[in-house]
């Protein structure tokens, strides 16, 4: 039994309550005392002085806000304008529900141009970003709003379907998916991932979207007008995407990914 197992146990016990809802296992930190340093992953509990008896427990901490967090968030309008609203979040879950299906970005203006600083994934990140001088938070339109507002071209719309459906899978809004897989997280922020065999320049597999928990990886392929050949490309027992993804997961050292960090996210 190690530090990672302790975090997983805490999440399993308290994750369905209000406090830890929306807080992933990876966000938890384990300490051997209140004023100690975070214990490294994989460290065996048997090697520690704490954690063996009730009088000397391990301490598990989570990035939880006990007071509501207020954030100014800019939103895109169908007329290609922007408007600011003050949003209040009582919990991480409330924040995740708010951003589900939309990407919240941290940006700044530099030399008259918009500079993207990163995509916000948690309430803690959003709060920290909101404190950075000269920057702002902006939320894109949902897929429904994009359709209603006739935004973008058809090719961009197709890409939006892939990303938005992937993010919706990981949002926790589907009771059926949550019952089957529990808490899910995005790989590469819900955007497409390409795998290449080491030693070659040939694309081995391209995935529209990947979602995972600690033991399962879900492949999302979204088409505006699915055809039989699309299904065949997924399920073919020899060259289908499912078989190829299993090969990547079983032999990660034989592949690289674009972006580079995606394959590490799958292993984590």
């Amino acid at each position: 039994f190690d530090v990672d197992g302790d975090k997983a146990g805490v999440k399993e016990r308290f994750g369905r309550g209000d406090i830890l809802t929306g807080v992933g296992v990876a966000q938890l930190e384990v300490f051997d005392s209140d004023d100690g340093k975070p214990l490294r992953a994989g460290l065996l509990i048997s090697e520690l002085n704490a954690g063996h008896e009730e009088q000397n427990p391990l301490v598990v901490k989570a990035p939880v806000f006990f007071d509501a967090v207020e954030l100014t968030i800019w939103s895109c309008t169908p007329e290609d304008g922007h408007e600011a609203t003050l949003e209040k979040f009582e919990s991480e879950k409330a924040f995740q529900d708010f951003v589900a299906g939309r990407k919240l970005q941290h940006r700044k203006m530099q030399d008259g141009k918009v500079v993207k600083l990163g995509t916000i994934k948690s309430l803690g990140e959003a709060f920290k970003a909101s404190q950075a001088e000269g920057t702002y938070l902006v939320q894109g339109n949902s897929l429904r709003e994009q359709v209603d507002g006739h935004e973008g071209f058809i090719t961009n719309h197709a890409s939006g379907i892939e990303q938005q459906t992937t993010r919706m899978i990981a949002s926790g809004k589907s009771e059926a998916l949550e019952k089957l897989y529990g808490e899910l997280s995005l790989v590469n922020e819900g955007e497409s991932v390409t795998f290449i065999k080491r030693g070659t320049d040939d694309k081995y597999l391209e995935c529209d979207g990947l979602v995972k928990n600690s033991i399962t990886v879900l492949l999302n392929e979204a088409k505006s007008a699915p055809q039989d050949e699309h299904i065949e490309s997924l399920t073919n027992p020899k060259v289908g995407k499912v078989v190829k993804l299993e090969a990547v997961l079983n032999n990660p050292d034989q592949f690289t990914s674009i972006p580079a960090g995606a394959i590490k996210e799958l292993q984590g």
Side-chain angles (χ1 to χ4, degrees):
F1 191 65
D2 59 13
V3 167
D4 292 330
D6 190 48
K7 292 195 290 185
V10 169
K11 176 61 179 178
E12 177 67 25
R13 182 175 179 182
F14 299 104
R16 301 299 176 184
D18 292 336
I19 292 180
L20 288 186
T21 299
V23 178
V25 173
Q27 296 173 279
L28 302 178
E29 297 282 6
V30 180
F31 303 79
D32 58 6
S33 64
D34 276 325
D35 55 356
K37 294 182 178 181
L39 300 175
R40 62 177 174 82
L43 187 65
L44 295 176
I45 304 300
S46 60
E47 299 176 359
L48 304 174
N49 293 325
H52 304 292
E53 53 187 19
E54 186 175 351
Q55 292 77 12
N56 188 24
L58 293 173
V59 178
V60 180
K61 298 182 180 180
V64 175
F65 290 90
F66 289 98
D67 295 321
V69 177
E70 292 187 345
L71 300 172
T72 298
I73 296 178
W74 290 83
S75 301
C76 301
T77 65
E79 295 78 21
D80 198 28
H82 291 81
E83 60 181 10
T85 58
L86 184 64
E87 303 290 345
K88 180 182 288 188
F89 303 100
E90 301 283 350
S91 65
E92 178 70 26
K93 183 179 184 301
F95 176 80
Q96 294 298 334
D97 288 344
F98 178 80
V99 299
R102 300 180 175 188
K103 181 182 290 186
L104 183 64
Q105 290 189 336
H106 187 204
R107 299 179 180 178
K108 71 176 182 179
M109 293 296 295
Q110 182 174 310
D111 300 327
K113 297 181 179 180
V114 175
V115 178
K116 296 179 181 180
L117 303 176
T119 300
I120 302 299
K121 299 180 182 179
S122 68
L123 182 56
E125 287 183 7
F127 177 77
K128 183 177 180 181
S130 71
Q131 305 302 301
E133 186 176 353
T135 69
Y136 60 99
L137 299 173
V138 60
Q139 186 178 43
N141 292 319
S142 69
L143 180 59
R144 182 68 264 163
E145 291 166 336
Q146 291 180 35
V147 174
D148 291 342
H150 303 288
E151 291 188 354
F153 298 95
I154 295 300
T155 53
N156 291 332
H157 177 64
S159 177
I161 290 175
E162 297 160 1
Q163 294 177 21
Q164 299 295 349
T165 54
T166 300
R167 289 172 183 144
M168 285 301 295
I169 290 171
S171 70
K173 289 189 174 182
S174 169
E175 294 183 2
L177 285 174
E178 185 173 12
K179 184 176 181 180
L180 285 171
Y181 303 107
E183 183 176 283
L184 294 165
S185 61
L186 296 170
V187 176
N188 190 34
E189 301 177 358
E191 299 184 4
S192 64
V193 177
T194 299
F195 297 97
I196 300 172
K197 276 193 173 183
R198 289 190 180 276
T200 74
D201 294 324
D202 298 328
K203 179 171 65 176
Y204 177 74
L205 171 64
E206 183 174 4
C207 303
D208 287 350
L210 294 169
V211 178
K212 70 184 222 33
N213 60 20
S214 59
I215 59 174
T216 302
V217 175
L218 304 182
L219 168 64
N220 179 44
E221 291 288 308
K223 306 296 180 186
S224 57
Q227 305 292 327
D228 289 342
E229 55 264 31
H230 295 146
I231 299 174
E232 175 67 11
S233 71
L234 284 171
T235 60
N236 187 293
K238 293 184 178 180
V239 294
K241 287 192 173 185
V242 172
V243 171
K244 287 186 174 183
L245 180 57
E246 289 177 346
V248 172
L249 296 175
N250 290 331
N251 303 281
D253 294 337
Q254 297 180 16
F255 298 88
T256 58
S257 65
I258 301 174
I263 200 163
K264 291 184 178 180
E265 286 186 57
L266 287 172
Q267 294 176 279

